[in-house]
Amino acid sequence: MTGPEMTANEERRPAVSAADTGAPPSTRPEEQPDPAPKEGLREVMGCFATGAAIVTAVLDGRPHGMAVNSLTSVSLNPPLILFCPDKKSTTWPAIEAAGQFVVNILAHDQEDVCRRFARKGADRFADVAHGDSDEGSVVLHHIAAFLECCIEHVYDAGDHFITVARVIDLGLKRDVPPLVFYKGAYHNLAGVD
């Protein structure tokens, strides 16, 4: 701390530069002259296999849902997850306004469900079996597992938002392999132990 925030028990530490420590120069985005091309980033990140999930919520009695693959656990205590909706999403504002949602983790045989929820303008819930969670959100049928969550924080991150949420309920629905997204295509791990 510096100035009035410093207490009598704290000593000033001299500023240390990267050159002083032998560390490489800073790689903060504002200091990088040429960011990686977005096409290259998409291709490289495509080498990282992800699961596929549908995030669903209810706002004013109407269900809303969107496909996501940017999903990860953040913390076990407290139980936190995150996912990253696109800023151009027309579904995200309703999910954010609802304040809570369900992550429906898709099973290997639900590629058609994932494609339906990835399409713009479609009636995503038509012909997709679903019910209500204990908290009133939408849970799709035949999924592998679910996480019911309350939004804790939403951060601005380039062309997406980072949504951090607390898990309030969860469960396994079917003991089956997940649907996997890899190099721009869906894959089935059925038969893999």
Side-chain angles (χ1 to χ4, degrees), residues 124-181:
R124 295 174 175 163
F125 290 91
D127 303 321
V128 175
H130 59 281
D132 295 333
S133 73
D134 290 342
E135 299 293 323
S137 292
V138 178
V139 178
L140 303 182
H141 291 185
H142 314 297
I143 57 175
F146 76 95
L147 301 156
E148 188 155 15
C149 306
C150 289
I151 296 173
E152 295 248 325
H153 304 284
V154 176
Y155 301 100
D156 185 47
D159 55 8
H160 283 66
F161 293 110
I162 299 171
T163 303
V164 177
R166 181 181 297 263
V167 177
I168 58 173
D169 194 14
L170 52 84
L172 300 173
K173 293 294 201 173
R174 291 198 293 158
D175 186 16
V176 295
L179 182 61
V180 174
F181 194 70

Side-chain angles (χ1 to χ4, degrees), residues 55 66-72 74 81-97 101 151-165:
V55 172
M66 60 191 289
V68 301
N69 70 343
S70 58
L71 170 70
T72 191
V74 174
I81 59 105
L82 72 75
F83 79 97
C84 301
D86 192 310
K87 287 183 178 177
K88 293 180 288 192
S89 168
T90 57
T91 305
W92 166 242
I95 293 172
E96 183 179 27
F101 57 85
I151 296 173
E152 295 248 325
H153 304 284
V154 176
Y155 301 100
D156 185 47
D159 55 8
H160 283 66
F161 293 110
I162 299 171
T163 303
V164 177

Side-chain angles (χ1 to χ4, degrees), residues 38-64:
K38 66 181 178 180
E39 298 81 26
L41 181 60
R42 182 182 300 266
E43 183 179 0
V44 168
M45 291 306 297
C47 294
F48 182 68
T50 67
I54 306 298
V55 172
T56 55
V58 175
L59 182 64
D60 299 329
R62 190 167 160 241
H64 300 272

